[in-house]
Amino acid sequence: MNPSRFFDGLYISFWIPAAVLTAALAIKLPSIIKLWKDPLLRAVGGLLVLACGVFVFAAPPTIAWTNRVTGVPNISAPLVYSLITAFCGSCLLLITAWRNGISDRSRTTRRATRWVVSVYSGVIVTLWVLFALADAPVERVRDLDTYYATTAFMREEIVLYLLAHTVACLITYRLIRNWIRTDGLDMWLRSGLKFLGIGYAMNLIYDASKITAVVARWTGHDLDWLSTALSPPVACLAAILIAVGFILPHAGQYLHRRARTRLSHWRLRPLYLLTRTVTGGRVPFKLRATPELRLTRRETFIRDALLHLARYIDEDLERRAYDAAAGLGREPGRARPLAQVVAIQDAVEAKRRARKDDADAPLGSPDIEDLLEGIEAVSRALRHTDDIRTVRERAAAAAESVPAP
């Protein structure tokens, strides 16, 4: 078996991770623009831009185009190496700030930040100096690392960028692994960190395959397939996993909030339909209204209707209904909403009779603060029609059993 043929079959276009990273940037972009003063969000945006740049400029067509436009053979090498190095430094800075909190300005954090910026900036400058000193006249689009592995100055350049990438991935992977083990993390954040950890672990596989292929050239062996066939799909998968790791905490929390909002809106529907019979109106429909705004409007409509209905609520009936529900074995968390449903339905009928008789005889002014706070539980209880019927019958029987004064 020829390993190069096997891994050639696993080829992943560099444009796929570039597209995924661009999608991650597009998802983050509204938050970055809205909260531009947040340095952590700006750092995430910069990191995703650098990651996109790596795969755009590392794609073979782009490499050939850059070399042709500039007229310098293999000038794409220091360009791509510089983007990779800048990406590595950005990862270290981001994970440090994300882990410790952007407000952490301790001496250790400042020293680590200065170290990362100075070291990786120096590496980028050195990469260009080495390329200027090297003699690399033959354009290599796919196998430059192994082709020039024994060429003076190009050899040092290749080793330098691989070492910088390996060190950054090792440190970042260790920071992420330690962070995952801490308590109190949000589910989405923990999941995102796991994807990031796997992505950086695959980057280490990329480094190992590249370094092995280069060292093999030094010893007179040919393991170029590790660099040309194995490394590209590994790098693409790593980039996709890292993009998912950055997307998941933001998108997951956003979708979770949206799902909860839509679920609450749906749960309030029974009580909303009941209170519409009180006011005769409805919440105006707005096509462009957000789910949060629709939920707020529905909650406001229901509470306003209950305030109009409050003076018709019979507190004695509510107490009897609560005792009846408790007698059926319902816990207080379920018995209270059932009792409130019975009282609300009775109040709706009382208001309808008062309107029909042109009378206005409220039963009192009960405190409905608990009712206004628990409208979702009351609305959910409205779906249990059998329980409501049973509680109502028992409450009526209890009223009849009380001797007249």
Side-chain angles (χ1 to χ4, degrees):
M1 292 182 62
N2 189 340
S4 62
R5 292 183 179 178
F6 173 76
F7 286 105
D8 279 340
L10 298 178
Y11 176 75
I12 300 175
S13 172
F14 278 19
W15 299 110
I16 294 177
V20 175
L21 290 164
T22 302
L25 180 61
I27 291 174
K28 284 285 188 181
L29 193 58
S31 299
I32 295 172
I33 295 175
K34 184 179 180 180
L35 303 172
W36 179 250
K37 293 184 178 180
D38 187 342
L40 190 58
L41 282 174
R42 292 204 306 269
V44 171
L47 184 144
L48 291 174
V49 168
L50 285 171
C52 289
V54 168
F55 284 94
V56 169
F57 285 95
T62 309
I63 291 176
W65 176 84
T66 305
N67 294 337
R68 185 176 64 254
V69 169
T70 59
V72 180
N74 300 313
I75 197 173
S76 286
L79 176 60
V80 174
Y81 295 164
S82 297
L83 288 172
I84 293 174
T85 304
F87 172 75
C88 294
S90 298
C91 289
L92 286 175
L93 292 176
L94 177 61
I95 295 298
T96 301
W98 197 4
R99 176 67 179 86
N100 298 335
I102 202 66
S103 60
D104 180 19
R105 302 301 300 166
S106 64
R107 182 179 301 177
T108 303
T109 302
R110 292 197 302 269
R111 185 168 61 248
T113 301
R114 287 195 301 268
W115 181 86
V116 171
V117 172
S118 59
V119 168
Y120 280 84
S121 297
V123 169
I124 292 174
V125 172
T126 306
L127 289 172
W128 285 96
V129 172
L130 289 171
F131 180 77
L133 296 173
D135 182 20
V138 181
E139 183 183 54
R140 309 302 298 184
V141 175
R142 297 182 182 272
D143 61 345
L144 183 140
D145 292 344
T146 51
Y147 186 86
Y148 287 107
T150 58
T151 301
F153 298 112
M154 283 300 293
R155 173 183 58 227
E156 286 75 11
E157 178 170 6
I158 294 166
V159 171
L160 180 60
Y161 105 83
L162 286 175
L163 286 178
H165 188 261
T166 302
V167 170
C169 290
L170 278 171
I171 296 175
T172 306
Y173 175 75
R174 182 178 177 182
L175 290 173
I176 292 174
R177 186 186 62 181
N178 293 338
W179 191 4
I180 291 175
R181 294 175 179 176
T182 58
D183 297 329
L185 292 182
D186 176 76
M187 177 188 70
W188 297 107
L189 176 57
R190 190 183 298 277
S191 300
L193 289 173
K194 288 180 179 179
F195 276 99
L196 286 174
I198 298 172
Y200 282 104
M202 294 198 69
N203 268 324
L204 292 174
I205 297 175
Y206 166 86
D207 293 325
S209 61
K210 284 279 187 180
I211 292 172
T212 302
V214 170
V215 172
R217 278 281 185 155
W218 295 349
T219 58
H221 297 84
D222 184 359
L223 292 177
D224 289 5
W225 64 271
L226 288 172
S227 177
T228 58
L230 175 61
S231 295
V234 169
C236 292
L237 288 175
I240 293 172
L241 290 170
I242 290 173
V244 172
F246 281 117
I247 292 172
L248 197 57
H250 176 81
Q253 292 170 2
Y254 172 80
L255 293 175
H256 181 65
R257 288 194 303 269
R258 279 297 177 94
R260 290 185 60 181
T261 300
R262 293 184 184 277
L263 181 61
S264 297
H265 189 269
W266 175 78
R267 285 174 173 172
L268 287 174
R269 178 175 172 77
L271 186 56
Y272 168 66
L273 294 177
L274 178 61
T275 52
R276 280 182 57 184
T277 63
V278 177
T279 63
R282 60 182 300 170
V283 176
F285 176 75
K286 298 282 187 177
L287 184 62
R288 295 185 178 182
T290 63
E292 291 80 8
L293 181 58
R294 291 176 181 174
L295 175 61
T296 301
R297 287 177 173 174
R298 177 165 285 189
E299 290 174 340
T300 302
F301 180 91
I302 291 172
R303 290 191 174 103
D304 288 345
L306 291 176
L307 287 172
H308 287 296
L309 199 64
R311 57 183 178 175
Y312 293 95
I313 292 179
D314 187 346
E315 292 183 289
D316 292 334
L317 173 61
E318 185 176 340
R319 281 193 291 269
R320 293 195 304 271
Y322 177 81
D323 293 337
L328 291 171
R330 303 294 187 271
E331 297 179 356
R334 290 194 59 191
R336 178 63 61 190
L338 282 171
Q340 290 171 334
V341 166
V342 172
I344 291 172
Q345 289 177 336
D346 181 78
V348 170
E349 291 298 324
K351 182 175 176 60
R352 186 178 293 115
R353 289 194 302 270
R355 187 187 303 126
K356 187 179 298 184
D357 298 338
D358 293 330
D360 192 9
L363 298 175
S365 300
D367 183 7
I368 63 169
E369 183 177 350
D370 291 341
L371 174 59
L372 296 177
E373 291 296 326
I375 56 175
E376 185 172 321
V378 173
S379 186
R380 292 170 65 181
L382 270 168
R383 298 180 184 276
H384 303 285
T385 55
D386 293 339
D387 290 345
I388 294 171
R389 186 183 305 109
T390 303
V391 169
R392 181 183 297 280
E393 292 172 354
R394 289 201 172 202
E400 293 174 358
S401 65
V402 176

PDB file of all heavy atoms in Angstrom, residues 264-280:
ATOM      1  N   SER A 264     -41.546  29.594  25.940  1.00  0.00           N
ATOM      2  CA  SER A 264     -42.352  30.381  26.875  1.00  0.00           C
ATOM      3  C   SER A 264     -43.526  31.036  26.152  1.00  0.00           C
ATOM      4  O   SER A 264     -44.642  31.096  26.687  1.00  0.00           O
ATOM      5  CB  SER A 264     -41.483  31.443  27.556  1.00  0.00           C
ATOM      6  OG  SER A 264     -40.469  30.860  28.335  1.00  0.00           O
ATOM      7  N   HIS A 265     -43.276  31.527  24.940  1.00  0.00           N
ATOM      8  CA  HIS A 265     -44.353  32.137  24.152  1.00  0.00           C
ATOM      9  C   HIS A 265     -45.439  31.118  23.849  1.00  0.00           C
ATOM     10  O   HIS A 265     -46.645  31.425  23.949  1.00  0.00           O
ATOM     11  CB  HIS A 265     -43.760  32.686  22.848  1.00  0.00           C
ATOM     12  CG  HIS A 265     -44.712  33.516  22.054  1.00  0.00           C
ATOM     13  ND1 HIS A 265     -45.531  32.985  21.085  1.00  0.00           N
ATOM     14  CD2 HIS A 265     -44.974  34.842  22.088  1.00  0.00           C
ATOM     15  CE1 HIS A 265     -46.261  33.939  20.547  1.00  0.00           C
ATOM     16  NE2 HIS A 265     -45.953  35.078  21.128  1.00  0.00           N
ATOM     17  N   TRP A 266     -45.037  29.901  23.515  1.00  0.00           N
ATOM     18  CA  TRP A 266     -46.018  28.842  23.232  1.00  0.00           C
ATOM     19  C   TRP A 266     -46.758  28.429  24.508  1.00  0.00           C
ATOM     20  O   TRP A 266     -47.969  28.190  24.480  1.00  0.00           O
ATOM     21  CB  TRP A 266     -45.295  27.644  22.627  1.00  0.00           C
ATOM     22  CG  TRP A 266     -46.181  26.453  22.402  1.00  0.00           C
ATOM     23  CD1 TRP A 266     -47.068  26.266  21.394  1.00  0.00           C
ATOM     24  CD2 TRP A 266     -46.259  25.292  23.238  1.00  0.00           C
ATOM     25  NE1 TRP A 266     -47.704  25.048  21.532  1.00  0.00           N
ATOM     26  CE2 TRP A 266     -47.222  24.427  22.654  1.00  0.00           C
ATOM     27  CE3 TRP A 266     -45.603  24.893  24.400  1.00  0.00           C
ATOM     28  CZ2 TRP A 266     -47.548  23.202  23.214  1.00  0.00           C
ATOM     29  CZ3 TRP A 266     -45.926  23.671  24.960  1.00  0.00           C
ATOM     30  CH2 TRP A 266     -46.890  22.841  24.371  1.00  0.00           C
ATOM     31  N   ARG A 267     -46.060  28.346  25.630  1.00  0.00           N
ATOM     32  CA  ARG A 267     -46.694  27.939  26.881  1.00  0.00           C
ATOM     33  C   ARG A 267     -47.725  28.957  27.361  1.00  0.00           C
ATOM     34  O   ARG A 267     -48.682  28.597  28.058  1.00  0.00           O
ATOM     35  CB  ARG A 267     -45.631  27.734  27.961  1.00  0.00           C
ATOM     36  CG  ARG A 267     -44.834  26.445  27.806  1.00  0.00           C
ATOM     37  CD  ARG A 267     -43.712  26.378  28.819  1.00  0.00           C
ATOM     38  NE  ARG A 267     -43.042  25.085  28.792  1.00  0.00           N
ATOM     39  CZ  ARG A 267     -41.930  24.803  29.474  1.00  0.00           C
ATOM     40  NH1 ARG A 267     -41.365  25.737  30.227  1.00  0.00           N
ATOM     41  NH2 ARG A 267     -41.395  23.603  29.399  1.00  0.00           N
ATOM     42  N   LEU A 268     -47.542  30.219  27.016  1.00  0.00           N
ATOM     43  CA  LEU A 268     -48.484  31.256  27.446  1.00  0.00           C
ATOM     44  C   LEU A 268     -49.725  31.316  26.564  1.00  0.00           C
ATOM     45  O   LEU A 268     -50.653  32.080  26.875  1.00  0.00           O
ATOM     46  CB  LEU A 268     -47.794  32.620  27.433  1.00  0.00           C
ATOM     47  CG  LEU A 268     -46.781  32.892  28.546  1.00  0.00           C
ATOM     48  CD1 LEU A 268     -46.079  34.215  28.311  1.00  0.00           C
ATOM     49  CD2 LEU A 268     -47.443  32.875  29.904  1.00  0.00           C
ATOM     50  N   ARG A 269     -49.767  30.542  25.503  1.00  0.00           N
ATOM     51  CA  ARG A 269     -50.888  30.633  24.568  1.00  0.00           C
ATOM     52  C   ARG A 269     -52.240  30.324  25.224  1.00  0.00           C
ATOM     53  O   ARG A 269     -53.207  31.085  24.995  1.00  0.00           O
ATOM     54  CB  ARG A 269     -50.644  29.702  23.382  1.00  0.00           C
ATOM     55  CG  ARG A 269     -51.791  29.693  22.371  1.00  0.00           C
ATOM     56  CD  ARG A 269     -51.462  28.848  21.156  1.00  0.00           C
ATOM     57  NE  ARG A 269     -52.616  28.684  20.295  1.00  0.00           N
ATOM     58  CZ  ARG A 269     -53.074  29.608  19.459  1.00  0.00           C
ATOM     59  NH1 ARG A 269     -52.467  30.775  19.378  1.00  0.00           N
ATOM     60  NH2 ARG A 269     -54.136  29.381  18.713  1.00  0.00           N
ATOM     61  N   PRO A 270     -52.409  29.256  26.018  1.00  0.00           N
ATOM     62  CA  PRO A 270     -53.732  29.005  26.609  1.00  0.00           C
ATOM     63  C   PRO A 270     -54.239  30.171  27.463  1.00  0.00           C
ATOM     64  O   PRO A 270     -55.409  30.559  27.364  1.00  0.00           O
ATOM     65  CB  PRO A 270     -53.497  27.749  27.459  1.00  0.00           C
ATOM     66  CG  PRO A 270     -52.340  27.070  26.825  1.00  0.00           C
ATOM     67  CD  PRO A 270     -51.457  28.177  26.342  1.00  0.00           C
ATOM     68  N   LEU A 271     -53.388  30.732  28.311  1.00  0.00           N
ATOM     69  CA  LEU A 271     -53.811  31.853  29.154  1.00  0.00           C
ATOM     70  C   LEU A 271     -54.052  33.096  28.300  1.00  0.00           C
ATOM     71  O   LEU A 271     -54.947  33.897  28.600  1.00  0.00           O
ATOM     72  CB  LEU A 271     -52.755  32.123  30.215  1.00  0.00           C
ATOM     73  CG  LEU A 271     -53.106  33.180  31.276  1.00  0.00           C
ATOM     74  CD1 LEU A 271     -54.404  32.831  31.983  1.00  0.00           C
ATOM     75  CD2 LEU A 271     -51.973  33.322  32.295  1.00  0.00           C
ATOM     76  N   TYR A 272     -53.269  33.253  27.255  1.00  0.00           N
ATOM     77  CA  TYR A 272     -53.473  34.395  26.354  1.00  0.00           C
ATOM     78  C   TYR A 272     -54.846  34.304  25.684  1.00  0.00           C
ATOM     79  O   TYR A 272     -55.578  35.306  25.600  1.00  0.00           O
ATOM     80  CB  TYR A 272     -52.352  34.411  25.308  1.00  0.00           C
ATOM     81  CG  TYR A 272     -52.588  35.342  24.154  1.00  0.00           C
ATOM     82  CD1 TYR A 272     -52.635  36.725  24.336  1.00  0.00           C
ATOM     83  CD2 TYR A 272     -52.769  34.838  22.862  1.00  0.00           C
ATOM     84  CE1 TYR A 272     -52.853  37.582  23.271  1.00  0.00           C
ATOM     85  CE2 TYR A 272     -52.983  35.690  21.788  1.00  0.00           C
ATOM     86  CZ  TYR A 272     -53.025  37.058  21.995  1.00  0.00           C
ATOM     87  OH  TYR A 272     -53.245  37.897  20.941  1.00  0.00           O
ATOM     88  N   LEU A 273     -55.210  33.114  25.210  1.00  0.00           N
ATOM     89  CA  LEU A 273     -56.521  32.952  24.573  1.00  0.00           C
ATOM     90  C   LEU A 273     -57.651  33.189  25.574  1.00  0.00           C
ATOM     91  O   LEU A 273     -58.696  33.750  25.217  1.00  0.00           O
ATOM     92  CB  LEU A 273     -56.629  31.545  23.979  1.00  0.00           C
ATOM     93  CG  LEU A 273     -55.671  31.236  22.820  1.00  0.00           C
ATOM     94  CD1 LEU A 273     -55.833  29.783  22.371  1.00  0.00           C
ATOM     95  CD2 LEU A 273     -55.910  32.183  21.648  1.00  0.00           C
ATOM     96  N   LEU A 274     -57.451  32.770  26.825  1.00  0.00           N
ATOM     97  CA  LEU A 274     -58.484  32.983  27.837  1.00  0.00           C
ATOM     98  C   LEU A 274     -58.620  34.467  28.166  1.00  0.00           C
ATOM     99  O   LEU A 274     -59.742  34.989  28.275  1.00  0.00           O
ATOM    100  CB  LEU A 274     -58.130  32.196  29.103  1.00  0.00           C
ATOM    101  CG  LEU A 274     -59.093  32.354  30.292  1.00  0.00           C
ATOM    102  CD1 LEU A 274     -60.494  31.876  29.911  1.00  0.00           C
ATOM    103  CD2 LEU A 274     -58.579  31.587  31.506  1.00  0.00           C
ATOM    104  N   THR A 275     -57.506  35.171  28.315  1.00  0.00           N
ATOM    105  CA  THR A 275     -57.587  36.591  28.666  1.00  0.00           C
ATOM    106  C   THR A 275     -58.089  37.437  27.504  1.00  0.00           C
ATOM    107  O   THR A 275     -58.579  38.552  27.717  1.00  0.00           O
ATOM    108  CB  THR A 275     -56.216  37.104  29.138  1.00  0.00           C
ATOM    109  OG1 THR A 275     -55.216  36.772  28.160  1.00  0.00           O
ATOM    110  CG2 THR A 275     -55.830  36.483  30.466  1.00  0.00           C
ATOM    111  N   ARG A 276     -57.957  36.943  26.292  1.00  0.00           N
ATOM    112  CA  ARG A 276     -58.514  37.685  25.152  1.00  0.00           C
ATOM    113  C   ARG A 276     -60.025  37.801  25.248  1.00  0.00           C
ATOM    114  O   ARG A 276     -60.612  38.778  24.769  1.00  0.00           O
ATOM    115  CB  ARG A 276     -58.138  36.999  23.840  1.00  0.00           C
ATOM    116  CG  ARG A 276     -56.732  37.308  23.354  1.00  0.00           C
ATOM    117  CD  ARG A 276     -56.456  36.635  22.031  1.00  0.00           C
ATOM    118  NE  ARG A 276     -57.431  37.024  21.008  1.00  0.00           N
ATOM    119  CZ  ARG A 276     -57.464  36.515  19.776  1.00  0.00           C
ATOM    120  NH1 ARG A 276     -56.578  35.580  19.426  1.00  0.00           N
ATOM    121  NH2 ARG A 276     -58.362  36.919  18.904  1.00  0.00           N
ATOM    122  N   THR A 277     -60.673  36.816  25.887  1.00  0.00           N
ATOM    123  CA  THR A 277     -62.122  36.900  26.067  1.00  0.00           C
ATOM    124  C   THR A 277     -62.500  37.984  27.060  1.00  0.00           C
ATOM    125  O   THR A 277     -63.647  38.431  27.080  1.00  0.00           O
ATOM    126  CB  THR A 277     -62.671  35.548  26.556  1.00  0.00           C
ATOM    127  OG1 THR A 277     -62.121  35.244  27.848  1.00  0.00           O
ATOM    128  CG2 THR A 277     -62.299  34.438  25.597  1.00  0.00           C
ATOM    129  N   VAL A 278     -61.528  38.408  27.875  1.00  0.00           N
ATOM    130  CA  VAL A 278     -61.791  39.459  28.852  1.00  0.00           C
ATOM    131  C   VAL A 278     -61.712  40.830  28.202  1.00  0.00           C
ATOM    132  O   VAL A 278     -62.582  41.688  28.396  1.00  0.00           O
ATOM    133  CB  VAL A 278     -60.791  39.366  30.026  1.00  0.00           C
ATOM    134  CG1 VAL A 278     -61.021  40.502  31.011  1.00  0.00           C
ATOM    135  CG2 VAL A 278     -60.899  38.019  30.705  1.00  0.00           C
ATOM    136  N   THR A 279     -60.664  41.060  27.421  1.00  0.00           N
ATOM    137  CA  THR A 279     -60.450  42.382  26.826  1.00  0.00           C
ATOM    138  C   THR A 279     -61.085  42.528  25.454  1.00  0.00           C
ATOM    139  O   THR A 279     -61.358  43.636  25.012  1.00  0.00           O
ATOM    140  CB  THR A 279     -58.934  42.638  26.690  1.00  0.00           C
ATOM    141  OG1 THR A 279     -58.365  41.667  25.792  1.00  0.00           O
ATOM    142  CG2 THR A 279     -58.257  42.521  28.057  1.00  0.00           C
ATOM    143  N   GLY A 280     -61.282  41.392  24.769  1.00  0.00           N
ATOM    144  CA  GLY A 280     -61.805  41.458  23.417  1.00  0.00           C
ATOM    145  C   GLY A 280     -60.782  41.891  22.396  1.00  0.00           C
ATOM    146  O   GLY A 280     -61.099  42.025  21.212  1.00  0.00           O
TER     147      GLY A 280
END
